[in-house]
Every structure is written in structure tokens, then in C-alpha cells.
Amino acid sequence: SGNWDFADGTLSGWNATGSVTVVTNGIDPYGAYPWVYPGGGNNSAKISSDRNCCKDGRLDRVINVPPTGTTLFNFHFAMSIFNFPHVASQAAKLWVEFYSSDLGAVGVSTFVQTPNPASFYNPQADGDSPGSHPVTYSDWNTVSMDLSGYAGQSITAVFRVEWCGPGPDWAYVLIDV
């Protein structure tokens, strides 16, 4: 209940800004992973895109952590990033934030780089010189967080994607909660 996993096919219960959609099917052109989490329902949320230049996206929701009982928060994500050689501060990126603590940036250990440039997989993809830069992607990952330290409190979970600072180099993420 509560449309945590976008089961009703909408973003109801979530705050969405920018480029955020619900997807019901599709295979990623770069990583060949399904756009809907295989262990979940029939929908996932897609934040940002590889088209329509520079449209960041954000999806957030307040979590009312119960005072007792189950306090695990699980989310699943898969993502693709256009691999233009920017410095990290300018590169396209995914942010996952919980407004209760900040443990700093965490990498994804399952990243893989495509053997061919982005345009090989999607000729319509945006990006600087898409004919010469690959895509870094990761199939679905699961993150479990124990929120028992916040029992009885409200915290906000935020998932956001930013395109690169200078221009048309993109990232997107698929989310299931």
C-alpha cells in the first residue's frame, strides 16, 4: 500500500520534479537490463533520460519510521551514465540522500562500460560527440537500510539525477522501492 513501488502506475504518494516517469516495460539499450525491477511488481520509476537535453529529475518521499517493529527500508536501482571524460564535480550523477544522516558518497561496485560508443546503442541519445564516448551502466542493485535509529521519526528519502554541468551529457536511473 502507499504506492511505494509505483504499483498503481503513477507517482502518487511521491513528490516528483523534472524528468520523472513510470515505466512498465523496456530493456536498457546500453546494459540490456530490464527497466522494471525483475524481483518487484509491474512498474519502476525512471528518473531523467538520455534525450531532451539537460532535464534533471528528482523523486522524494517522507518516510514515517514506525516506533516499533520493522524499520528496514529497501530500494533497488539500475542506471546508465554517458561516459564523457568530465571531472567528477561536472559529471552526470545519481544522488541518493536521506535527510537524517550523511555518510558521504558511495560508489557502485557493479559498473560496466559498453564496448561501443553511446550512438551504437541509441543513435538519438544526447551527448558531446556521442560517436566516440561509451556508457557506464549497472544492472539492478539492492540497498537495505536499517532505520531503527530513527524509530518514531519522519525522514525524507531523495533520489535525484543531474546531467553534467557544462551540457548535454546525461544519466538516468530506474528505481523500485
Side-chain angles (χ1 to χ4, degrees):
S1 69
N3 200 37
W4 285 95
D5 60 354
F6 318 103
D8 70 6
T10 73
L11 298 170
S12 174
W14 292 85
N15 299 309
T17 55
S19 178
V20 182
T21 58
V22 173
V23 293
T24 58
N25 59 38
I27 300 293
D28 190 73
Y30 310 102
Y33 56 82
W35 277 0
V36 174
Y37 175 59
N42 296 319
N43 306 304
S44 294
K46 184 179 182 202
I47 305 172
S48 197
S49 175
D50 59 354
R51 306 207 36 211
N52 304 315
C53 181
C54 313
K55 297 223 172 27
D56 299 342
R58 175 184 166 126
L59 192 61
D60 64 78
R61 182 170 185 154
V62 172
I63 302 168
N64 295 310
V65 182
T68 59
T70 303
T71 56
L72 287 179
F73 180 80
N74 298 311
F75 68 93
H76 316 280
F77 73 96
M79 63 187 299
S80 293
I81 301 175
F82 185 74
N83 205 10
F84 189 83
H86 286 299
V87 296
S89 61
Q90 291 185 328
K93 59 187 66 74
L94 161 68
W95 297 87
V96 178
E97 301 161 311
F98 284 80
Y99 282 86
S100 57
S101 65
D102 181 6
L103 302 177
V106 178
V108 176
S109 61
T110 57
F111 271 135
V112 178
Q113 183 171 286
T114 59
N116 297 300
S119 58
F120 177 86
Y121 307 95
N122 183 1
Q124 286 81 39
D126 288 344
D128 288 327
S129 305
S132 59
H133 298 291
V135 172
T136 299
Y137 66 90
S138 178
D139 201 337
W140 287 94
N141 294 268
T142 297
V143 176
S144 294
M145 299 178 64
D146 181 357
L147 302 180
S148 59
Y150 305 97
Q153 300 178 42
S154 295
I155 60 175
T156 300
V158 179
F159 304 94
R160 63 185 171 100
V161 173
E162 294 178 355
W163 284 49
C164 78
D169 305 323
W170 49 264
Y172 58 82
V173 66
L174 288 302
I175 298 284
D176 189 79
V177 178

